[in-house]
Every structure is written in C-alpha cells, then in structure tokens.
Amino acid sequence: MPYYEFKTKDILRNTLKTHPQYTFNVYNRNIYLNNQYDVSGAHVENVTMVPTGHISLYELNIDRASDNKAYPFIVKDGAFASIGTVTNTVFNSSYQYGDVISASYPFSASIVRERFASSHGDSAESHITALKNTLNHYTYLSQHYAFSSSYGDKNSQESNLISIPSIFFDSGIKPGSVNLEFYISGSLVGQLTDKNKNGELIQTDGDSYAQTNGSNSVAGVVLYNEGFVLLTGSWNLTPASYNFTYETRQARWCDFGAGANDGGDDNLAPSASFRMEFKGTNEVTTLDMYMIAPKALLNHSSNPTYKLYNSASVLPRFGYNSSSYAENDSIPIKNTISGSICNYSSSFKKQTFISTIGIFDDQRKLIGTVKLATPVKKTENRAFTFKVKLDI
C-alpha cells in the first residue's frame, strides 16, 4: 500500500467566524429566550424539558417519558473514573466496586441577576470582588472598568451583575452588539448600548424624564470575554415608584433584570419588563486536505480479484519447495478494459478504482478514512486531486 506525505500547500486551515444573536426578555419573573414559549409534547408540557428561557445542553431528552430518559452513568472499578459532580470523598466512601454512579439529563443554562446594595463591602464571597482583577485589566479600554476610581468604588456602589453562561457567547460577546432596554407598562423608559465598542454601556434612548437625568451617561460596563454585564447607573429613570422586591422606589439601571433568576420574592411590579440583546462569537475551524493521485501511479491493487486466478494457464497458484511456500509470480493481471463489441475485450491497460482513502499519522497509524460516494476509475494517464474538508 503506497503512502504519500502531505506537502505544505496540501493542508489549509480556515476559521469561519459567526455571530449568533440572542434576545432575553424578562417579565414577571419569567425569562423568554429568543421569543420562544413552551411547546407542549406528548409526554411533557415543554418538549425541551428545561425551564422557559433556558437552553438545553445537547438537547437530550426531548419530549421523553419520565421512565425513558437518557442519563450519564459509570461503573466504579479499578480505573477510579467518576462523574464530575461526585467528589473523591463520596466516590471512595459511598460506593462499592461494581456500583453504578449516575446523574441526570438535561443540563440547562440561562442568565442570572445579582443585586448588590450600597456599601456591600469587600466580601470574599462577593462576585463583584471576584471580578476586581478582571475589571482593572480592562481599564485600557475605559476608566469606567476601574474597580475604584473617580467614577466610584464598586465595593460601595449599588451594583447589578448579570451573568451570561458561555454556551450563549462561546469565545466572546461581539463588541457593539449589546442592547439593554427598560420598559414600564410596555413603554420604553431607557436604553443602553455599547455604541463605542469599548465596553461602556451608554444611555442612548428613553423617555424625556430618563433622558433628562442620564442621556449619554455610562450606566455600566460589559466584560465581553467573560460574559458579565455590570450596571452601576443610579440615576432615576421614572418619576413614579415601583416595587422591585427589595424596596419600592423610582426605577434605576440597578433594577434592570429584576426577576431573572435572582431569588427575589413575588412582589415584583408586574408593569416592569426588560430586554437584553447581544451577539456571541462562534469560531468554526475547518481543515482542507488535498490528496493527489499522480499519473502512472496507484494503478495496481492487492485485491485478489485483480489477478486472473481462474485460468488454467496459471495453475498451480502456489508453489513450494524445501525452503518456501509462495504464490505463483506468473499469474497475469485480469484485463478489465471493456470493449464496444460484445464478448470482446480491448487491449490490456492497467486500471484501478479508488473507493477509499486512508489518513495516517507520522507513525503510520490510521486516524481517518475517506469514503467516495462512487469509485473513481484511475488509469495510468489520469491524475486526480481529492479535496477533503473537515470541521475541527
């Protein structure tokens, strides 16, 4: 079997960058993703089997009965392999060899809002404190990222942190795509965008009252690579007061997203609703491989049907003596060239049919195969280049 080494120009790597858009609507403690509502199925009220506003990882267990769900499992053995949610202590003490360790599907994810009151302090458990170094790192984009500056101290500012799972944005949120809208009774009272593409969330639109108080003001920042939106805007957006579960007051940007998995009570003002839009960044790397079948080569086959075994002129097929037992080396190659006249064969020419191409590593271990939909006839005067595309 012949081997051919890929040349420098035979392998091309390309990256396709896409920006899928996501829209989250929050209303009355319900989250709606891309305006999708529950779809009832044959076995469950929602076919995805995850809460509204959540995305299902791998979309397993779609509309399955409770006794027919797919689930991950592993058997405890000497390899000490376990499921990630089981600690080493539990694995060693609570399971015997041969026990089945299982979990459940589906896994889901959605946005989460956390509110931090004024002077919440430098607590080791605070997610704001955990982002201190990250925020300071991006001060080259804007001084509004600084954890402590003339724009305020994030340890003492009232803050609103919205966490976006990476399954929504992959390698990063696209700068310039973030849009936050604050609604009261269906009317827009304020809008934030990162129009400068530097992470600053600037109030660009709203009703006259909100624009008078905060037009073109920075109400927060976006951590594009980490998936966080931090809002610190404390100016009033409405003249009237509303209940945001923790207190009744005039609406502010620190109240944005109230009810988005934040664990608040049910006294949220039903007239308040919120919309958050952004685009993720998904990079798909493709590998193009060009495999060349040169002229005058690859025209012999080790397939037994390639030789003329059934002719009496080639018998015996095998020969032996005191030192060897070998196939007859005088067996001719079968003439497979068809003629235009019935029961007549054209002059002999070597030809093969390429149906499969193997891909090997540097140690000649098979790592992949390429199957052609239709075998390609290869004669001595024909050369082919096969292009293989692989998504990595």
Side-chain angles (χ1 to χ4, degrees), residues 18-24 34 145 164 168-181 191-202 204 222-225 227-229 256 275-282:
T18 62
H19 297 287
Q21 181 168 333
Y22 293 94
T23 300
F24 288 92
N34 293 338
Y145 278 103
I164 306 172
F168 293 103
F169 61 85
D170 198 8
S171 59
I173 298 173
K174 182 182 179 182
S177 68
V178 181
N179 177 51
L180 276 61
E181 298 175 359
Q191 180 181 20
L192 299 178
T193 62
D194 61 333
K195 63 178 184 179
N196 294 332
K197 300 183 180 180
N198 64 347
E200 295 177 350
L201 287 172
I202 301 173
T204 56
V222 182
L223 295 175
Y224 294 115
N225 297 323
F228 292 99
V229 175
F256 181 87
R275 173 179 291 178
M276 181 173 67
E277 298 175 331
F278 63 88
K279 292 182 180 179
T281 301
N282 185 21

Side-chain angles (χ1 to χ4, degrees), residues 13-17 282-286:
R13 292 177 175 85
N14 302 295
T15 300
L16 176 64
K17 184 178 290 188
N282 185 21
E283 296 181 353
V284 180
T285 302
T286 60

